[in-house]
Amino acid sequence: TIRYHSAVALVDSLKFNKTLTYLDISYNGLGIEGGETLGNALHSNNSLKVLKVAQNNITSRPCFTIFAGIKSCESLEEVDLSSNPIGEE
């Protein structure tokens, strides 16, 4: 039940974490702000290999931010964004 401010604080910490390689925060509520913060944090992370954020109420705008972060996070090998309301965009 990670939601709102706690979700933002958690994913923002990925900017500084250099040891975490697997993160599964599926079935929570990152939402728009949490999703955008996650995407921005991925630009500074080089240790994460697996990221699972299925069913987090992530819409198209934060999804785009996450994809941009994924592109710059060279260590990522697997990402799961399934069952989010990304929409047709």
Side-chain angles (χ1 to χ4, degrees):
T1 58
I2 301 169
R3 307 250 189 286
Y4 309 111
H5 299 296
S6 60
V8 170
L10 174 68
V11 296
D12 194 45
S13 69
L14 291 175
K15 287 193 269 187
F16 311 105
N17 189 294
K18 304 297 180 208
T19 57
L20 186 67
T21 60
Y22 185 98
L23 179 62
D24 186 348
I25 49 175
S26 299
Y27 301 93
N28 285 287
L30 293 183
I32 294 171
E33 190 174 347
E36 289 179 349
T37 303
L38 172 60
N40 290 328
L42 288 174
H43 290 290
S44 303
N45 186 287
N46 289 315
S47 63
L48 199 60
K49 293 181 187 236
V50 177
L51 175 63
K52 297 189 177 201
V53 287
Q55 293 213 356
N56 266 283
N57 200 27
I58 295 171
T59 58
S60 58
R61 190 177 81 204
C63 183
F64 181 81
T65 306
I66 292 170
F67 282 139
I70 289 169
K71 188 172 180 178
S72 68
C73 184
E74 295 178 3
S75 61
L76 268 174
E77 298 171 359
E78 179 183 344
V79 178
D80 180 5
L81 278 162
S82 62
S83 300
N84 281 294
I86 296 168
E88 291 182 27
E89 295 107 273

